[in-house]
Amino acid sequence: MKLKNLLLLPLLCSLSFGGGAELYLKYCSSCHGEDRLGGHAPPLFPPFFNIPEERLYRIIREGAVGMPSFKELKEEEVKQIVEFIKSPVEKEKLRWDEERIKGSVERVYTKKVEVKNLKDYTLVVERGKNLVWVMEGERLLDKFAFSSMHGGIKFSKEGVAYIPSRDGWIGRYDPTKGELKRVRACIYLRNIAFYGGLLVASCWVPSRLVVFDSQLNYVKSFELHGRINAVYELYIRDGFIFTFKDKPLVGFLNYKDLKLTYENLGVALEDFIIDPLEEYLIGSTRSGLEIYSLNDLRLVKELKALDIPHLASAYFWYSKGDFYFATPLLNKPVLSVWKAYSWEHVKDIPLDGNGFLARSSYGTPYVWVDMSTDSMLLLDKRSLEVKKFIPAPGKRVTHAEFTGDGRIAYVSVYEKEGALMLYDGVSLKKLGEFPANLPAGKYNFVNKSRYFEGAQLGYQVFMEKCWGCHHTTENAFGPSLRWSIQNREKALVIAQILNPENTYRLLGYSRNAMPRIELKEGELKALMKFMEALKDGWMD
């Protein structure tokens, strides 16, 4: 009798929601998961899914960024789907504890590959075949299986890659050993961060932070009472930072003692990022941007925007004495450009379609913005003028990424019979093409490390302020920057930049040949980050 009742449950569930279960399975489950716990797209059950019905109807009918429209559905069918996804999910389905985490570990062995230059080391996601490609510059070294990749790949300084998936799996890929270790941190994952040998996963289902060591051995979990936006590395606080979508809190996790603390922002954020110099927390709300000082979390400025900025895709750069950042808006075909650190709105640039990612590198003169069309918008970093670039007429292109020096640009032709296209990052000359089935994200060792974000800004400061007399690795009129930072104390280098008339004797010179360079605090900070990356050989 009990077995019979159990077999009737799916039918009863379907009837109780007026056919919503069947409609959900037909139209929604391929992205949101058959159990509504999330897949390529977020979970669809309360409290993680909490959208007013009027807006929900509109999203189903008209679509949204990353989601197709379902205009063919009748009004009653939309209503049935809405009723179904607003119903609760059994609590047992949401349980994922330490025992299950430790019991999920598995290893897969792949081809051993030698990456000669980590700056050219890039992983490419081929979503249509659930594969990750290993690229070095223009060379394809290997492919291995990994499904539902989401949230951004992280790298150790040794080149080990940590790969997250929507459904909670995290992979540790070591190309030199040809090993992929996997562990399931949770049921639905937002993103990961890696700092000081610790990896932290932010999870929606169940709501928590999960900490692993660099070998993906379980360390600790922290239950969260809210829906986390993301977790990021925060070097100035020696650990990690995160915020919530539904609580006005910012959390800090210390790397050394794993102490978790909270501070109140006063408002919940839709999304947030940390600037490359780690001075500000930049949060988005439905009305625009809120800028907080990381020193004391004081609100510095509120900026109005046409819609919610997609901060996870924002790109920062330096030009003509100012720092800038640009980000697409989530629900409008607009690229919004701002001055960073002075926090002034510069301009809004219309796009041909909803933009999702703004990407660049210090070695290319453009910010590359996809528009859900066959063209990319290229924003000139110096003039702020724009032009269109069409890699594959009539086919959707998305997600530009670059080698660490910006020499090569990778662009996805996001079609089932698509391709990974390679271009010169400056001249836009085509360098190569690899057939691919729905090629999606691309993640370069340099460009996807927060450690190098400030250094990339510093390179741009160097080119405008120092390049006339100094080169990066070779002597010119003055010594190379690499030699200077490798052979002199950092404090002395800073003193020489700011006050050369009074420091030349300390450097052993009989007279001063260096002019005083007027640098703002941010310019000096960025320049020193670049010199530190030069010192360690990470940048040229």
Side-chain angles (χ1 to χ4, degrees), residues 229-230 232 243 245 269-273 282-284 309-312:
N229 277 311
Y232 297 119
T243 65
K245 286 183 177 293
L269 301 175
E270 292 287 332
D271 195 5
F272 86 106
I273 54 172
I282 305 163
S284 63
H310 185 210
L311 289 180

Side-chain angles (χ1 to χ4, degrees), residues 442-456:
K442 295 162 288 294
Y443 304 88
N444 173 262
F445 172 82
V446 171
N447 297 324
K448 289 301 178 284
S449 170
R450 280 195 52 77
Y451 177 79
F452 297 116
E453 288 181 2
Q456 292 208 36

Side-chain angles (χ1 to χ4, degrees), residues 205-276:
V205 184
S207 184
R208 63 181 53 166
L209 294 178
V210 186
V211 183
F212 300 89
D213 66 17
S214 62
Q215 300 297 316
L216 283 192
N217 297 312
Y218 174 84
V219 175
K220 191 173 183 178
S221 293
F222 296 89
E223 185 177 357
L224 302 177
H225 301 284
R227 192 154 53 113
I228 192 170
N229 277 311
V231 60
Y232 297 119
E233 306 89 351
L234 189 61
Y235 287 82
I236 61 167
R237 293 283 289 259
D238 208 15
F240 305 87
I241 183 172
F242 60 95
T243 65
F244 295 93
K245 286 183 177 293
D246 53 359
K247 289 184 180 294
L249 299 176
V250 56
F252 297 95
L253 179 63
N254 184 271
Y255 157 74
K256 293 179 180 178
D257 58 10
L258 291 183
K259 183 180 179 181
L260 181 61
T261 58
Y262 291 99
E263 295 186 38
N264 198 313
L265 282 178
V267 63
L269 301 175
E270 292 287 332
D271 195 5
F272 86 106
I273 54 172
I274 304 300
D275 75 285

Side-chain angles (χ1 to χ4, degrees), residues 189-463:
L189 181 146
R190 284 293 288 168
N191 81 317
I192 60 173
F194 184 80
Y195 173 80
L198 287 183
L199 183 141
V200 176
S202 67
C203 297
W204 271 13
V205 184
S207 184
R208 63 181 53 166
L209 294 178
V210 186
V211 183
F212 300 89
D213 66 17
S214 62
Q215 300 297 316
L216 283 192
N217 297 312
Y218 174 84
V219 175
K220 191 173 183 178
S221 293
F222 296 89
E223 185 177 357
L224 302 177
H225 301 284
R227 192 154 53 113
I228 192 170
N229 277 311
V231 60
Y232 297 119
E233 306 89 351
L234 189 61
Y235 287 82
I236 61 167
R237 293 283 289 259
D238 208 15
F240 305 87
I241 183 172
F242 60 95
T243 65
F244 295 93
K245 286 183 177 293
D246 53 359
K247 289 184 180 294
L249 299 176
V250 56
F252 297 95
L253 179 63
N254 184 271
Y255 157 74
K256 293 179 180 178
D257 58 10
L258 291 183
K259 183 180 179 181
L260 181 61
T261 58
Y262 291 99
E263 295 186 38
N264 198 313
L265 282 178
V267 63
L269 301 175
E270 292 287 332
D271 195 5
F272 86 106
I273 54 172
I274 304 300
D275 75 285
L277 301 181
E278 293 198 331
E279 295 180 358
Y280 297 94
L281 184 158
I282 305 163
S284 63
T285 66
R286 295 203 170 273
S287 59
L289 295 173
E290 298 206 347
I291 316 297
Y292 298 86
S293 167
L294 279 173
N295 286 331
D296 53 13
L297 292 184
R298 173 178 51 88
L299 179 62
V300 174
K301 198 160 187 178
E302 293 181 83
L303 301 170
K304 298 297 181 183
L306 296 176
D307 199 81
I308 304 172
H310 185 210
L311 289 180
S313 80
Y315 179 75
F316 287 76
W317 74 96
Y318 174 85
S319 177
K320 299 179 182 178
D322 286 305
F323 293 96
Y324 294 86
F325 73 99
T327 176
L329 303 183
L330 277 176
N331 301 306
K332 290 185 182 294
V334 170
L335 179 73
S336 197
V337 182
W338 311 76
K339 281 189 178 180
Y341 305 116
S342 61
W343 310 116
E344 303 167 27
H345 181 253
V346 177
K347 64 193 298 188
D348 288 319
I349 300 171
L351 303 176
D352 291 345
N354 283 331
F356 194 66
L357 295 170
R359 291 288 183 259
S360 191
S361 165
Y362 70 92
T364 175
Y366 307 109
V367 179
W368 301 50
V369 186
D370 56 32
M371 301 188 286
S372 302
T373 66
D374 64 354
S375 61
M376 282 204 157
L377 180 134
L378 302 185
L379 171 67
D380 188 291
K381 296 176 190 174
R382 292 186 62 79
S383 69
L384 301 186
E385 297 298 318
V386 299
K387 64 180 179 180
K388 291 181 185 178
F389 176 56
I390 305 177
K395 296 185 177 182
R396 182 184 174 189
V397 295
T398 185
H399 198 293
E401 179 59 296
F402 307 85
T403 49
D405 57 5
R407 177 174 50 89
I408 298 173
Y410 304 96
V411 176
S412 291
V413 179
Y414 193 71
E415 305 278 347
K416 287 187 177 180
E417 295 183 3
L420 177 70
M421 314 283 279
L422 279 62
Y423 294 91
D424 184 289
V426 178
S427 70
L428 307 183
K429 176 184 176 182
K430 185 176 177 180
L431 303 176
E433 177 178 342
F434 295 86
N437 184 339
L438 298 177
K442 295 162 288 294
Y443 304 88
N444 173 262
F445 172 82
V446 171
N447 297 324
K448 289 301 178 284
S449 170
R450 280 195 52 77
Y451 177 79
F452 297 116
E453 288 181 2
Q456 292 208 36
L457 288 182
Y459 173 85
Q460 295 163 68
V461 174
F462 159 76
M463 289 300 293

Side-chain angles (χ1 to χ4, degrees), residues 5-255:
N5 290 339
L6 186 63
L7 293 173
L8 285 173
L9 275 176
L11 176 60
L12 292 173
C13 177
S14 172
L15 291 173
S16 65
F17 292 106
E22 287 92 341
L23 290 167
Y24 172 86
L25 287 173
K26 181 177 180 180
Y27 293 102
C28 315
S29 63
S30 61
C31 292
H32 295 279
E34 292 185 3
D35 49 13
R36 292 190 287 149
L37 298 182
H40 292 303
L44 291 182
F45 66 91
F48 297 97
F49 174 72
N50 188 22
I51 296 177
E53 283 198 13
E54 182 180 341
R55 184 169 170 233
L56 184 53
Y57 274 72
R58 187 171 67 252
I59 290 173
I60 294 173
R61 285 287 194 190
E62 301 174 7
V65 176
M67 176 178 163
S69 62
F70 294 95
K71 295 179 180 179
E72 70 274 18
L73 288 173
K74 299 175 183 177
E75 190 72 23
E76 181 61 27
E77 291 175 322
V78 174
K79 180 180 179 181
Q80 290 172 357
I81 291 174
V82 170
E83 288 178 353
F84 178 66
I85 63 180
K86 281 184 168 285
S87 66
V89 170
E90 297 173 35
K91 288 186 178 181
E92 179 59 26
K93 287 185 177 180
L94 307 181
R95 187 174 70 86
W96 195 259
D97 53 21
E98 178 180 345
E99 180 182 357
R100 291 187 175 183
I101 293 171
K102 290 181 176 179
S104 69
V105 175
E106 59 186 41
R107 282 180 171 82
V108 178
Y109 291 94
T110 63
K111 175 184 173 183
K112 294 181 181 180
V113 297
E114 180 186 4
V115 179
K116 296 178 181 178
N117 186 348
L118 284 175
K119 290 173 281 191
D120 288 343
Y121 174 34
T122 303
L123 297 183
V124 179
V125 176
E126 186 179 11
R127 179 168 291 168
K129 292 186 177 180
N130 289 322
L131 293 174
V132 174
W133 299 9
V134 185
M135 302 283 297
E136 184 179 10
E138 298 180 48
R139 298 188 303 135
L140 175 59
L141 305 181
D142 192 26
K143 299 180 182 181
F144 59 87
F146 199 94
S147 61
S148 301
M149 208 298 296
H150 171 77
I153 293 172
K154 300 295 181 180
F155 296 91
S156 74
K157 287 188 176 180
E158 296 74 35
V160 172
Y162 298 91
I163 310 169
S165 73
R166 284 275 196 187
D167 53 3
W169 287 94
I170 302 170
R172 180 188 185 276
Y173 171 66
D174 188 335
T176 60
K177 294 182 179 179
E179 181 183 84
L180 175 66
K181 178 182 178 180
R182 302 200 328 150
V183 62
R184 194 174 190 187
C186 51
I187 295 170
Y188 187 83
L189 181 146
R190 284 293 288 168
N191 81 317
I192 60 173
F194 184 80
Y195 173 80
L198 287 183
L199 183 141
V200 176
S202 67
C203 297
W204 271 13
V205 184
S207 184
R208 63 181 53 166
L209 294 178
V210 186
V211 183
F212 300 89
D213 66 17
S214 62
Q215 300 297 316
L216 283 192
N217 297 312
Y218 174 84
V219 175
K220 191 173 183 178
S221 293
F222 296 89
E223 185 177 357
L224 302 177
H225 301 284
R227 192 154 53 113
I228 192 170
N229 277 311
V231 60
Y232 297 119
E233 306 89 351
L234 189 61
Y235 287 82
I236 61 167
R237 293 283 289 259
D238 208 15
F240 305 87
I241 183 172
F242 60 95
T243 65
F244 295 93
K245 286 183 177 293
D246 53 359
K247 289 184 180 294
L249 299 176
V250 56
F252 297 95
L253 179 63
N254 184 271
Y255 157 74

